[in-house]
Amino acid sequence: GERLYMAYNRNHGIDVRIARYHNIFGPYGTYKGGKEKAPAALCRKVAECDNGEIEIWGDGKQTRSFLVDIERRFKNANIQSPRFDAEVIVAFILKVERKNLGLINDISDDQEREIEKLVEKRVRRIPLQHLVGEQGFRYLNLKVGKGVFIPRPETEILVEAVIRYLKEIANERKKVIDFCAGSGAIALAIATECANVDCFAIEKSEEAFSFL
């Protein structure tokens, strides 16, 4: 869904924003015992407060607090997917998978400085994929950077159609030539998923060729 919205933005100029809700507080959420998530804990403390003050733990450097600040800066810079971009950058510097960010409690000063460098570049609209040097494409994780186009969702649709056709004629051996291959997304995906194909990736640019 998110990729479809972003494709409409690129192709038709429709302004889109992507929001992800991670925490929900309701009658079936944990309310006490120290295991509730942050919104639930905050609601409990406010509900139980009788002196106008509540205690909130943390110095702002915990992973989630840090992400909120980066997300806010990206929103102000009109980044289309501020939360996603923030998570990718932080996970990249911390060398963890994005889904495991919630398991990291603290960020060191050195890591904070490295994150800040990438955040500043992203605010200046440098592509996220160029900052982290990679982009997922079907079952592959491709190297990308200055000099190559970032693989687009529409390219995955094209590759899906080609792979489906090649699998339908699995008894015939075919040659596939990917001209101006760039990151090699098309050729690599087809070669990885089809056994009856000889794939060739051709790239004239020396800058782009380094990513093949």
Side-chain angles (χ1 to χ4, degrees), residues 156-211:
E156 291 198 37
I157 297 174
L158 168 66
V159 170
E160 173 66 31
V162 173
I163 289 175
R164 189 184 306 115
Y165 167 74
L166 291 171
K167 288 184 175 180
E168 289 174 355
I169 56 168
N171 59 328
E172 302 178 32
R173 191 154 195 89
K174 296 292 184 178
K175 291 182 179 179
V176 173
I177 303 175
D178 180 10
F179 289 98
C180 305
S183 64
I186 295 176
L188 288 171
I190 294 173
T192 301
E193 299 182 48
C194 296
N196 61 322
V197 174
D198 295 315
C199 274
F200 300 88
I202 299 176
E203 178 56 62
K204 180 179 180 181
S205 167
E206 292 184 6
E207 191 175 23
F209 183 77
S210 64
F211 292 95

Side-chain angles (χ1 to χ4, degrees), residues 2-138:
E2 292 182 7
R3 290 188 174 186
L4 178 63
Y5 302 144
M6 296 173 74
Y8 267 87
N9 171 263
R10 288 192 301 269
N11 298 332
H12 304 290
I14 298 175
D15 197 20
V16 300
R17 293 292 181 273
I18 297 173
R20 294 176 174 169
Y21 295 92
H22 293 272
N23 295 311
I24 299 175
F25 177 68
Y28 299 105
T30 302
Y31 189 71
K32 291 185 178 180
K35 295 183 179 180
E36 66 263 66
K37 293 184 179 179
L42 185 59
C43 289
R44 173 177 57 79
K45 290 179 178 181
V46 171
E48 295 178 343
C49 176
D50 57 7
N51 63 358
E53 295 182 359
I54 62 173
E55 185 179 54
I56 299 179
W57 294 91
D59 59 6
K61 291 188 177 181
Q62 285 69 29
T63 307
R64 291 194 180 188
S65 302
F66 203 67
L67 284 169
V68 170
D69 178 63
I70 298 172
E71 181 181 8
R72 175 186 57 78
R73 292 169 63 185
F74 285 168
K75 284 180 179 178
N76 292 338
N78 284 323
I79 302 296
Q80 289 184 353
S81 50
R83 181 70 184 193
F84 175 80
D85 288 24
E87 290 179 352
V88 169
I89 287 174
V90 174
F92 174 71
I93 295 299
L94 299 185
K95 295 181 172 56
V96 299
E97 293 186 34
R98 188 165 61 89
K99 64 181 181 180
N100 292 331
L101 279 175
L103 303 177
I104 307 297
N105 292 322
D106 297 298
I107 296 174
S108 70
D109 291 339
D110 287 342
Q111 290 171 331
E112 184 176 349
R113 283 190 288 271
E114 292 303 312
I115 290 170
E116 179 60 26
K117 291 178 183 178
L118 296 188
V119 169
E120 289 180 355
K121 290 180 179 179
R122 185 67 186 113
V123 167
R124 297 200 306 268
R125 317 298 291 185
I126 295 176
L128 175 67
Q129 295 86 348
H130 286 184
L131 296 179
V132 300
E134 60 186 32
Q135 165 70 13
F137 185 84
R138 292 184 66 82

